[in-house]
């Protein structure tokens, strides 16, 4: 092992410390101070549950508006940040210095200033007093120090750069210069309004993100993480490269409930990486597989590293729509990674871990089919069966389903006690045989019930994400308290009172851990608000657009490549949530504006997914990728080498944003039938698998260069068949804008109308671009336009936009009052682009034929 590799070796305690320093804070005080820290975290969790619940309105007590809730939320975050995160590496971990207590109290006061003096501040908008300014300056300084401790220097440097830009505008180069702002205007905008630090991002953190992070922490405390890992190992460990495939599945399952890629790496990696090494994977490859799988957990619905809730606010679509658009890219990315580890196993001839009692092949096939059928049947029962209850009983369905869930919970605990309890094995001990599948899967089925409750609330009851998470979390809290005593009763173990006490202790630990997991996210969303506030105050977003346009020379692909690279740079060292806020604020408008000018009209969600994916890639890439560093510490190898290998595995994720920008069907947009849906999913999966084979240099056997080139051509055609069809026939016909009312009236549900607009924006800048108008459900023309937020008036050869509603979808698309609609584009009557799948599959069949023949020759 090289000197660099030796330095990378981390003990279990160091790994725990790494996760703590990144996610929950590295301090572990004892005695009274530890209790204060725990009680503060507990109070924060209870506060968030209170404001998410209907209870304030039921009792008419402590009812807070959004601004007040955000202020208290940030006060908890900064207070805990100064107590939980030491100032420097040499700072004490076992106790909290007096200075940190002073800073924590001062920061909490500054953050809660909007709550404490809300009435007074509302009487003097834009006219801050000396106390207001003092609190604002001190609050921003303390927030930046908290961010330095919790998030590291990159976020702080970025925030200070943007603050400097506010005040140094007149002294900047001509291209990025602006008139600047006074201290009063700048500080008031950032701290005393909801345009900056206390803006939308912090509101989403307070309203949605906390509850889902708390839900994940409680699920992990209950033992679900251990259950997911053991289940993945038992299911897949016997396959070629089985532990690596299990790592992919376990990381996907953990990513569903986790908001942190580094925590995902350490949670699953401490078990899977040693197993991968043991069956023959090179240390850097074992670590890279875990990194790639864990980072992809951030693109996996329903949490998506908390970015899903921010997309709801930034894009202006329901939460369920975000999940719908995100699910296919996440799934095909994981399927491709699964295939990559299979190819690595084939190249190195890596076998799996044998089962204790291997069943005949026929029995395994029957068992697999029955398992899949059971899952499909269960999903059908949950959706249609519970949905039927909703239709039949109306408002009473919540109570009926609650009773059913309670009965199912007890029944599953009783069922699980017929099998041995799950315990996490020591990953450093040799695993000679796999755990049996049936006992492993059946021992923890009750962990799935809170997820079922969450989906029920979101999809069937159609509650808000916050209220859905509240009821699901309440159910999970009940499980935490009761599962130990109920299991003890069914297993006929003694000391029931000790199990009850243990259950309540688990609940307190889970509530405390959830709050401490939120410290970094709360600080990150607030600090990112500085960047958002700077953009709204100075108009720097337009500067970014002009800069990218100038350098790219108007070339669409160069522009997208530049945006991808900038997102990678901006995302370095930032947690997922802050990462998304920064890249979406700065780069999403660039793609929208320049794309619209070039004729690339895509839904806003596709643009936000594009910048989100590339911002996440920074978690992988060296030298900053903490996920790679943590995995390398477990695998005992060089973190730089791990990061490079992991990025090679993650290329399959990096190509997806380019594909769904040009083919939005990958986001399940524009799907008009069940057959179309199947074809889209099938070709997308095949395309990503073929891309993995091309980039890994192995398909049926080792690729020749020309074979890899042909596989890449097949990949491109399957992902974007319209590219070739557009060469034969343009996809759209341009018609007169005066026909817009007729077109809107005839358009099917969820159609997006391509509209070209012209006018002058508020900065007297001439605008000429295309936009996609989402027409929503089938309805009369006036209702459809009202839902978008538009009022139109035909005028000669164009149509005047006479009103744009504030906060509407139209406003988010950059449409302004006074613009004119100059043209419409409707789909051309041409052959379906999907016909090009046929020559693509013929070409794929040719490569398969050539490689199989060569593989047979090598074998003989």
């Amino acid at each position: 092992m090289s000197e660099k590799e030796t330095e990378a070796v981390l003990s279990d305690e160091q790994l725990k410390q790494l996760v703590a320093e990144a996610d929950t804070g590295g301090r572990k005080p004892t005695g009274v101070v530890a209790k204060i820290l725990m009680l503060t975290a507990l109070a924060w969790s209870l506060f968030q549950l209170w404001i998410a619940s209907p209870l304030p309105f039921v009792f008419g007590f402590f009812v807070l508006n959004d601004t007040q809730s955000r202020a208290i939320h940030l006060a908890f975050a900064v207070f805990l940040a100064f107590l939980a995160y030491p100032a420097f590496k040499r700072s004490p971990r076992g106790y909290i210095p007096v200075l940190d207590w002073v800073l924590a109290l001062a920061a909490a006061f500054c953050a809660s200033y909007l709550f404490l003096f809300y009435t007074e501040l509302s009487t003097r908008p834009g006219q801050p007093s000396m106390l207001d300014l003092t609190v604002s300056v001190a609050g921003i300084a303390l927030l930046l120090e908290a961010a330095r401790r919790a998030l590291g220097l990159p976020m702080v440097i970025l925030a200070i750069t943007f603050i400097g830009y506010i005040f140094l505008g007149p002294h900047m180069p001509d291209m990025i210069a602006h008139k600047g702002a006074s201290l009063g205007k700048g500080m008031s905008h950032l701290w005393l309004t909801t345009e900056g630090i206390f803006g939308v991002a912090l509101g989403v953190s307070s309203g949605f993100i906390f509850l889902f992070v708390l839900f994940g922490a409680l699920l992990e405390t209950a033992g679900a993480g251990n259950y997911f890992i053991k289940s993945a190992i038992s299911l897949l460990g016997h396959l070629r490269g089985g532990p690596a495939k299990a790592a992919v599945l376990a990381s996907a399952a953990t990513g569903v409930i986790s908001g942190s890629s580094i925590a995902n790496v350490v949670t699953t990696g401490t078990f899977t990486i040693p197993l991968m090494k043991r069956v023959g994977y090179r240390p850097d490859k074992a670590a890279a597989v875990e990194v790639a799988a864990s980072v992809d957990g951030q693109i996996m619905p329903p949490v998506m590293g908390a970015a899903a809730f921010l997309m709801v606010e930034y894009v202006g679509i329901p939460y369920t729509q975000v999940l719908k658009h995100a699910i296919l890219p996440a799934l095909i990315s994981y399927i491709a990674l699964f295939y990559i580890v299979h190819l690595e196993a084939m190249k190195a001839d890596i076998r799996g871990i044998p089962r204790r009692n291997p069943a005949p092949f026929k029995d395994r096939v029957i068992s697999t089919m029955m398992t899949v059928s059971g899952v499909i049947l269960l999903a059908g029962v949950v959706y249609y069966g519970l949905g039927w209850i909703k239709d039949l009983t109306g408002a009473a369905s919540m109570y009926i389903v609650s009773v059913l869930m309670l009965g199912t919970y007890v029944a599953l605990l009783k069922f699980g006690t017929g099998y041995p309890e799950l315990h996490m094995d020591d990953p450093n001990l040799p695993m000679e045989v796999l755990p049996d599948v049936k006992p492993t899967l059946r021992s923890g089925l009750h962990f799935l019930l809170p997820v079922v409750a969450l989906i029920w609330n979101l999809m069937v009851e159609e509650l808000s994400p916050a209220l859905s998470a509240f009821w699901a979390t309440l159910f999970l809290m009940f499980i935490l308290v009761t599962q130990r005593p109920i299991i003890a009763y069914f297993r006929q173990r003694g000391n029931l009172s000790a199990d009850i006490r243990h259950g309540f202790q688990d609940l307190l630990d889970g509530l405390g851990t959830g709050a401490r997991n939120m410290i970094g996210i709360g600080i990150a969303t607030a600090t990112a608000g500085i960047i958002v506030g700077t953009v709204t105050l100075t108009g720097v977003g337009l500067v970014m657009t002009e800069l990218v346009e100038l350098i790219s020379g108007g070339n669409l692909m160069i522009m997208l490549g530049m945006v991808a690279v900038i997102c990678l740079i901006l995302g370095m060292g930032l947690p997922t949530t802050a990462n998304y806020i920064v890249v979406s604020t700065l780069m999403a408008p660039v793609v929208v504006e320049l794309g619209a000018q070039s004729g690339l009209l895509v839904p806003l969600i596709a643009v936000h997914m594009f910048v989100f994916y590339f911002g996440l890639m920074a978690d992988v890439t060296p030298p900053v990728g903490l996920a790679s560093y943590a995995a390398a510490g477990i695998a005992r190898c060089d973190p730089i080498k791990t990061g490079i290998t992991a990025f090679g595995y993650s290329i399959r994720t990096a190509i997806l944003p380019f594909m769904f920008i040009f083919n939005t069907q990958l986001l399940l947009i524009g799907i008009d039938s069940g057959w179309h849906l199947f074809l889209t999913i099938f070709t997308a999966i095949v395309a990503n698998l073929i891309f993995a084979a091309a980039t890994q240099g192995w398909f049926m056997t080792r690729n020749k260069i020309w074979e890899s080139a042909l596989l890449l051509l097949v990949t491109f055609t399957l992902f974007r068949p319209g590219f070739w069809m557009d060469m034969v026939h343009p996809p759209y016909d341009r018609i007169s804008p005066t026909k817009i009312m007729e077109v809107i009236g005839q358009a099917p549900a969820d159609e997006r109308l391509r509209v070209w607009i012209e006018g002058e924006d508020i900065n007297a800048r001439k605008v000429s671009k295309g936009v996609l108008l989402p027409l929503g459900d089938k309805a009369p023309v006036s209702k459809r336009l009202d839902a978008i937020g538009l009022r139109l008036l035909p005028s000669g050869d164009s149509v005047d936009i006479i009103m744009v509603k504030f906060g509407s979808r139209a406003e988010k698309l950059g449409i302004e009052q006074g613009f004119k609609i100059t043209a419409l584009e409707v789909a051309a009557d041409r052959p379906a682009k999907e016909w090009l799948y046929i020559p693509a599959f013929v070409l794929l069949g040719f490569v398969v034929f050539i490689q199989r023949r060569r593989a047979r020759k090598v074998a003989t």
Side-chain angles (χ1 to χ4, degrees):
M1 191 182 296
S2 68
E3 183 179 342
K4 190 177 285 188
E5 288 173 328
T6 304
E7 291 173 359
V9 175
L10 298 177
S11 66
D12 290 344
E13 191 58 39
Q14 287 173 314
L15 283 169
K16 290 177 184 176
Q17 185 67 20
L18 179 64
V19 175
E21 289 176 356
D23 291 332
T24 61
R27 280 216 179 103
K28 289 185 179 178
T30 56
V32 176
V33 175
K35 290 181 180 177
I36 292 173
L37 205 59
M38 187 271 287
L39 288 173
T40 306
L42 181 62
W44 192 10
S45 290
L46 294 176
F47 164 75
Q48 295 292 160
L49 288 168
W50 172 264
I51 63 172
S53 74
L55 296 178
F57 303 98
V58 171
F59 295 108
F61 170 71
F62 205 49
V63 179
L64 304 175
N65 61 33
D66 286 345
T67 304
Q68 292 169 318
S69 298
R70 294 171 192 179
I72 296 174
H73 178 81
L74 183 58
F76 272 115
V78 291
F79 183 78
L80 286 170
F82 281 106
L83 299 187
Y85 289 86
F88 304 102
K89 287 186 177 179
R90 296 181 198 152
S91 298
R93 264 60 175 170
Y95 68 93
I96 300 171
V98 174
L99 178 60
D100 282 357
W101 282 106
V102 173
L103 293 175
L105 291 170
F109 171 76
C110 293
S112 59
Y113 190 74
L114 268 69
F115 167 72
L116 298 172
F117 299 97
Y118 183 78
T119 305
E120 292 87 339
L121 288 167
S122 64
T123 62
R124 52 174 191 270
Q127 298 176 322
S129 65
M130 184 55 69
L131 178 61
D132 295 342
L133 285 180
T134 304
V135 168
S136 299
V137 173
I140 289 175
L142 289 166
L143 175 63
L144 291 175
E145 169 58 15
R148 184 191 69 80
R149 296 184 182 204
L151 310 172
L153 277 175
M155 188 75 196
V156 177
I157 293 170
L158 200 60
I160 290 174
T161 302
F162 276 82
I163 291 173
Y165 182 72
I166 291 176
F167 301 113
L168 300 176
H171 309 290
M172 293 288 174
D174 288 344
M175 188 171 185
I176 61 172
H178 64 96
K179 66 179 182 179
S182 65
L183 180 67
K185 184 178 180 182
M187 291 297 102
S188 175
H189 187 83
L190 292 180
W191 194 265
L192 300 177
T193 72
T194 55
E195 293 292 325
I197 288 163
F198 294 95
V200 170
L202 190 63
V204 173
S205 176
S206 172
F208 300 146
I209 298 174
F210 191 103
L211 291 169
F212 279 84
V213 170
L214 179 62
F215 182 80
L218 290 171
L219 205 53
E220 177 67 30
T221 304
N226 178 24
Y227 173 68
F228 290 153
I229 295 169
K230 295 283 282 192
S231 298
I233 289 290
S234 67
L235 282 168
L236 304 175
H238 67 288
L239 302 174
R240 273 186 175 272
K245 293 172 180 175
V248 174
L249 181 61
S251 294
T254 307
V256 167
I257 61 173
S258 171
S260 166
S261 51
I262 185 173
N264 200 341
V265 165
V266 174
T267 301
T268 57
T270 49
F271 191 74
T272 57
I273 290 175
L275 286 179
M276 284 189 263
K277 288 172 62 180
R278 199 171 298 131
V279 297
Y281 281 94
R282 239 172 44 202
D284 64 295
K285 289 190 175 184
V289 167
E290 185 57 53
V291 171
S294 295
V295 171
D296 274 6
Q298 305 300 285
I299 67 174
M300 177 65 75
V303 178
M304 295 169 61
F309 314 109
L310 290 160
M311 286 182 187
V312 169
E313 297 297 323
Y314 288 168
V315 181
I317 61 177
Y319 174 70
T320 50
Q321 286 292 311
V322 173
L323 302 190
K324 170 190 165 185
H325 298 319
I327 187 65
L328 181 57
L331 286 177
I332 63 178
S333 187
Y334 265 113
I335 290 169
L337 181 58
F338 196 88
Y339 185 51
I340 285 172
V341 299
H342 176 74
L343 293 176
E344 290 286 3
M346 292 289 290
K347 287 190 279 187
D349 193 27
I350 297 172
R351 304 287 172 175
I353 300 171
R355 292 196 185 281
R356 183 177 285 106
N357 300 305
F361 178 75
K362 179 182 174 183
D363 292 350
R364 292 204 303 270
V365 171
I366 293 172
S367 177
T368 301
M369 290 178 66
M370 289 180 66
T371 302
V372 172
S373 302
V375 170
I376 295 172
L377 183 64
L378 178 62
V381 167
V382 169
Y383 187 78
Y384 294 106
L386 297 184
W388 174 78
I389 293 172
K390 171 71 174 175
D391 294 337
L392 186 66
T393 60
S397 64
M398 195 78 169
Y399 305 103
I400 295 171
V401 170
S402 298
V403 172
L404 286 174
M405 293 283 282
L406 185 61
T408 305
Y409 165 61
V410 176
L412 286 177
L413 284 180
K414 170 68 174 171
F415 180 66
T417 54
Y419 302 94
E421 290 186 83
L422 282 185
H423 297 287
M424 184 58 75
D425 302 324
D426 184 347
N428 297 309
L429 293 177
M431 181 180 280
E432 303 295 339
V433 291
L434 292 174
D436 291 330
V437 176
K438 281 186 181 179
T440 304
L441 291 180
R442 294 177 179 180
S443 61
L445 288 173
H446 64 284
F447 291 129
L448 303 179
L449 288 178
V451 181
V452 171
L454 183 63
I455 293 170
W456 160 265
N457 288 323
L458 281 170
M459 302 296 186
V460 182
E461 292 289 343
E462 295 183 351
L463 302 179
S464 68
L467 200 53
S468 299
F470 168 75
W471 290 116
T473 301
L474 216 60
F475 181 41
L476 186 50
M477 290 166 67
F478 172 77
I479 289 176
L480 267 169
V481 171
T482 60
Q483 67 173 347
R484 287 181 183 274
I486 293 175
I487 289 172
Y489 173 77
F490 284 137
R491 291 188 181 276
Q492 298 183 342
R493 289 199 304 244
N495 208 353
L496 197 63
S497 60
D499 285 311
I500 294 173
R501 285 196 304 273
H502 203 153
F504 277 102
Q505 186 60 51
D506 283 345
L507 175 60
L508 292 177
D509 290 344
L511 291 171
T513 301
R516 290 191 66 160
N517 284 342
M518 268 301 299
I519 297 172
I521 296 175
I523 298 292
T525 51
T527 309
I530 293 173
I531 295 159
V532 177
T534 302
V535 171
T536 57
L537 183 62
T538 65
V540 68
L542 294 175
V543 173
M544 293 292 292
T545 302
E546 292 169 2
L547 187 64
V548 173
E549 183 179 20
L550 177 68
I551 297 173
S552 66
N555 184 287
L556 194 59
M557 290 307 299
I558 294 176
M559 180 270 289
L560 289 173
M562 280 187 62
V563 170
V565 172
I566 293 170
C567 288
L568 269 174
I569 295 169
L570 289 173
M572 284 187 178
L574 301 186
T576 303
T577 314
N579 185 327
Y580 171 65
I581 297 169
V582 172
V583 297
S584 63
T585 302
L586 294 177
M587 302 316 301
V590 174
V591 180
V592 171
E593 288 297 318
L594 297 184
Q597 293 170 22
S598 305
L600 175 67
L601 307 187
V602 293
L604 198 54
I605 183 66
V607 176
H608 278 256
M609 292 281 284
F610 180 91
V611 297
F612 174 56
Y613 268 51
F614 277 104
L616 275 183
M617 286 298 102
D619 279 357
V620 179
T621 51
V624 184
L626 273 178
S628 296
Y629 180 78
I634 300 169
R636 306 188 175 191
C637 62
D638 181 3
I640 301 295
K641 190 176 181 181
T642 296
I644 293 170
T645 307
F647 186 74
Y649 291 161
S650 297
I651 290 175
R652 89 228 175 273
T653 302
I655 67 157
L656 286 175
F658 284 101
M659 295 301 107
F660 59 59
I661 278 284
F662 291 102
N663 181 12
T664 54
Q665 289 172 0
L666 295 174
L667 300 178
L668 301 184
I669 295 171
I671 305 294
D672 51 25
S673 67
W675 167 247
H676 195 188
L677 175 64
F678 168 78
L679 198 60
T680 300
I681 294 173
F682 175 74
T683 53
I685 291 172
V686 172
N688 221 12
L689 294 179
I690 296 168
F691 180 78
T695 53
Q696 293 301 307
W698 188 286
F699 189 28
M700 301 290 172
T701 184
R702 194 170 298 280
N703 296 345
K704 294 183 177 178
I705 294 176
W706 65 270
E707 290 172 339
S708 291
L710 287 181
L711 290 175
L712 290 174
L713 180 61
V714 171
T715 299
F716 180 77
T717 304
L718 293 179
F719 268 138
R720 198 187 165 196
F723 178 82
W724 308 110
M725 185 61 75
D726 292 350
M727 292 181 174
V728 178
H729 193 298
Y732 300 102
D733 292 330
R734 185 166 284 208
I735 63 174
S736 170
T738 55
K739 295 184 178 180
I740 188 168
M741 300 299 185
E742 180 185 343
V743 172
I744 292 175
Q746 296 174 354
D750 298 323
E751 182 76 0
R752 282 178 164 83
L753 181 61
R754 295 172 63 90
V755 175
W756 290 87
I757 59 175
E758 289 182 2
E760 287 190 357
D761 63 13
I762 57 173
N763 298 310
R765 189 173 64 101
K766 288 188 177 181
V767 174
S768 177
K769 65 179 182 179
V771 294
L772 282 178
L773 287 183
L775 300 182
D777 296 331
K778 188 76 174 171
V781 175
S782 58
K783 285 191 175 181
R784 279 186 146 180
L785 287 173
D786 193 55
I788 305 167
L790 283 180
R791 293 273 178 87
L792 306 177
L793 180 67
S795 174
D797 294 333
S798 62
V799 176
D800 291 337
I801 298 171
I802 59 174
M803 193 194 78
V804 179
K805 285 185 182 177
F806 178 75
S808 66
R809 297 287 297 276
E811 186 190 50
K812 291 180 185 294
L813 291 169
I815 302 174
E816 296 182 20
Q817 185 173 320
F819 280 16
K820 289 180 180 291
I821 297 176
T822 58
L824 303 179
E825 287 185 344
V826 295
D829 184 15
R830 66 174 191 174
K833 62 185 179 181
E834 285 77 14
W835 284 109
L836 287 161
Y837 291 151
I838 294 175
F841 279 112
V842 169
L843 190 57
L844 177 62
F846 171 71
V847 176
V848 170
F849 172 74
I850 294 294
Q851 288 213 350
R852 290 187 74 171
R853 191 171 64 175
R854 191 164 72 248
R856 286 196 206 100
K857 287 182 180 178
V858 172
T860 55

